[in-house]
Amino acid sequence: MITRILILVITMILMSCVEEDYSIPAPNDFPSVDIPRSQFTTFKAIYERYEQAVNDGRQIVIINEDLYIEGYVISSDRAGNFFKELIIQNKTNNSNPENDPRLGLKLEINVGNLSDTFEFGRKVYVKLKGLTIGESQGVLTIGKGEDSRIEQIQEFEYRNIILRTPEVAEITPKISSLIHLTESDENTLIQVDNLQINRFNLGLTYAGESTDDFDGLRVLENCESGASILLQTSSFSNFKSLVVPKHKGSIQGIFSRDYRDHFNVLILNRSSDIIFDLDERCDPLEMDCGLASSRGTVNLFYEDFESQKNNKLITGNGWTNYTEAGNLGWKAYSSTSTNASLGRSARFKSASSGDLSNIGWLITPAINMDEHDGETLHFKTSNSLADSSYLEVLYAPDWDGNPEHLKQATWKILSAAYVVKDTDSFVPWFNSGNVDLSCISGTIHIAFRYTGSGHQIFDGVYELDEVRIDCSF
């Protein structure tokens, strides 16, 4: 008799535990959702409302009306690359973009394992009354709070705010090039083709290096435009220790901003969202003689740009200042601000150019390498909000000095030279190191090539100064 009673008690306890477990609802156990269409607003209206608030000098919008939005989940925390947040967008595809723009929002929710309930493609309704709209980490976000810092929706309340519907839709990513992505693409699912991991990041893991504190940042570059963007991977993701793929192909991810809102990033839901199945890469030719322990005692060429005129194109001293794309060139610049110049420096700035592409070359006069020994190159670079634009230093042994023949010459990257990176601080100037040129023969030109555009994700500023070529005799 006692045994039967114990069995009955244990069975009741187990049944009670199951009935009280609401963390993962049954597939058909959906809340009743019956909201009049008149109470729904649009993502576009939310964006416009926030923009008006910013214009009025406010940083947030608090919703007091009984309003709802509907959207589709495009993030997943199953692989650990998202944490306590949902990214939703208003459309399953990119149809009718002019009248109904494809937009996204981030929801801050203090709950883990959200993908168990709100999986990729799940249609949801969001009850906006009492919520706050503002920017968090550079993207438009919905949460709680009354000041500029967006706080999380808490576990005790989120089920009454994020309403799960029965529908799970197929999401078609927007296919775009990097240079055509804009701020309106943030918090949305995109696909970019013809990408590869930058050659300097090959052999690294996604986010498992000793230098990866919370996120790993790896450079993705487009083989046609040369545009680049950072791939951001959480050091808590389950694929952080995988080595990044060495080939090229396509990638699907959420377009966003980094944690400090310094630059644009792509964030994967899972590692299989990178399909790099094309063996051939598009790396430039390289020359690497290494770094020399010291400079030579004889100077062959020197430029500190002090004799140049501010905001005028760099001229004289044998320089070729050539604009390959766009309408800008290298100009002299002087500033005593936080990102100060070194007196007067050479600068390339494509912001507000209005150009789809800006490529500018600043090329030294010819240097005969056969007349000297122990040649070295040294220079300094700095940037300001590089925004995925970039600067390269190259040389060619066969350019005839005619800008029209520039592309016919064999330009190689001087890979030993350190050039300031997008992720570097914008305050200091960085030394290139004493770049050894002694393994190069013939008559050469050295070029500093800027690549960017007038688009906000590719419109950074680069500065150059104290360029010198020396030899031992």
Side-chain angles (χ1 to χ4, degrees), residues 211-278:
T211 54
D212 298 326
D213 291 332
F214 295 100
D215 295 296
L217 297 172
R218 308 293 179 254
V219 179
L220 289 163
E221 57 189 8
N222 181 263
C223 287
E224 295 169 345
S225 67
S228 63
I229 193 171
L230 291 172
L231 176 67
Q232 177 178 294
T233 306
S234 170
S235 57
F236 296 96
S237 68
N238 64 12
F239 58 92
K240 68 175 184 179
S241 298
L242 296 179
V243 176
V244 296
K246 64 181 180 180
H247 300 141
K248 70 176 182 180
S250 65
I251 180 171
Q252 287 187 19
I254 294 173
F255 183 53
S256 189
R257 298 285 290 177
D258 75 294
Y259 181 79
R260 294 178 177 84
D261 189 23
H262 287 168
F263 41 80
N264 298 297
V265 296
L266 280 179
I267 306 175
L268 302 176
N269 281 312
R270 54 188 182 176
S271 61
S272 58
D273 288 336
I274 287 186
I275 305 176
F276 283 4
D277 53 359
L278 302 175

Side-chain angles (χ1 to χ4, degrees), residues 43-74:
F43 280 49
K44 182 180 179 182
I46 294 296
Y47 270 74
E48 291 173 346
R49 193 161 176 171
Y50 175 71
E51 290 170 2
Q52 184 60 54
V54 172
N55 292 335
D56 293 340
R58 293 179 288 124
Q59 294 180 294
I60 60 170
V61 174
I62 298 177
I63 306 295
N64 295 313
E65 305 97 311
D66 286 322
L67 292 176
Y68 293 80
I69 56 171
E70 60 182 0
Y72 299 87
V73 176
I74 58 168

Side-chain angles (χ1 to χ4, degrees), residues 49-211:
R49 193 161 176 171
Y50 175 71
E51 290 170 2
Q52 184 60 54
V54 172
N55 292 335
D56 293 340
R58 293 179 288 124
Q59 294 180 294
I60 60 170
V61 174
I62 298 177
I63 306 295
N64 295 313
E65 305 97 311
D66 286 322
L67 292 176
Y68 293 80
I69 56 171
E70 60 182 0
Y72 299 87
V73 176
I74 58 168
S75 64
S76 172
D77 58 14
R78 192 169 296 278
N81 211 26
F82 289 90
F83 182 65
K84 295 188 175 182
E85 61 185 357
L86 283 179
I87 314 296
I88 62 173
Q89 66 182 42
N90 59 338
K91 301 169 68 175
T92 61
N93 53 44
N94 197 42
S95 62
N96 195 20
E98 293 183 3
N99 298 325
D100 183 20
R102 178 176 163 274
L103 298 169
L105 291 164
K106 180 169 73 170
L107 305 176
E108 291 278 13
I109 308 170
N110 190 22
V111 177
N113 299 319
L114 285 166
S115 61
D116 290 343
T117 306
F118 302 106
E119 68 272 49
F120 184 88
R122 175 69 64 179
K123 184 178 180 179
V124 297
Y125 299 146
V126 181
K127 183 179 181 180
L128 295 174
K129 186 174 184 178
L131 298 184
T132 303
I133 300 168
E135 281 201 4
S136 176
Q137 300 169 14
V139 296
L140 202 58
T141 301
I142 295 178
K144 305 281 285 190
E146 298 181 355
D147 55 28
S148 59
R149 185 178 182 274
I150 303 297
E151 299 175 3
Q152 294 175 314
I153 299 168
Q154 296 302 310
E155 185 172 7
F156 73 87
E157 60 184 343
Y158 85 102
R159 286 187 178 276
N160 294 321
I161 295 173
I162 318 298
L163 306 179
R164 182 177 185 263
T165 77
E167 181 181 349
V168 178
E170 181 178 350
I171 308 297
T172 303
K174 174 184 176 180
I175 299 177
S176 176
S177 64
L178 291 180
I179 62 174
H180 288 109
L181 291 172
T182 68
E183 190 174 351
S184 63
D185 291 303
E186 291 173 356
N187 287 329
T188 67
L189 188 71
I190 65 165
Q191 176 177 319
V192 185
D193 299 327
N194 204 18
L195 290 184
Q196 65 181 22
I197 298 288
N198 181 275
R199 62 193 183 282
F200 296 119
N201 291 164
L202 293 179
L204 299 179
T205 58
Y206 282 91
E209 308 304 315
S210 60
T211 54

Side-chain angles (χ1 to χ4, degrees), residues 435-449:
V435 183
D436 193 347
L437 304 177
S438 61
C439 65
I440 300 173
S441 60
T443 298
I444 70 168
H445 292 81
I446 293 174
F448 299 89
R449 181 174 67 186

Side-chain angles (χ1 to χ4, degrees), residues 46 69 93 111 162 226 236 302 365 370-372 393 407 420 432:
I46 294 296
I69 56 171
N93 53 44
V111 177
I162 318 298
F236 296 96
Y302 181 73
D370 298 333
E371 294 180 350
H372 314 282
V393 56
K407 286 194 171 183
V420 64
S432 63

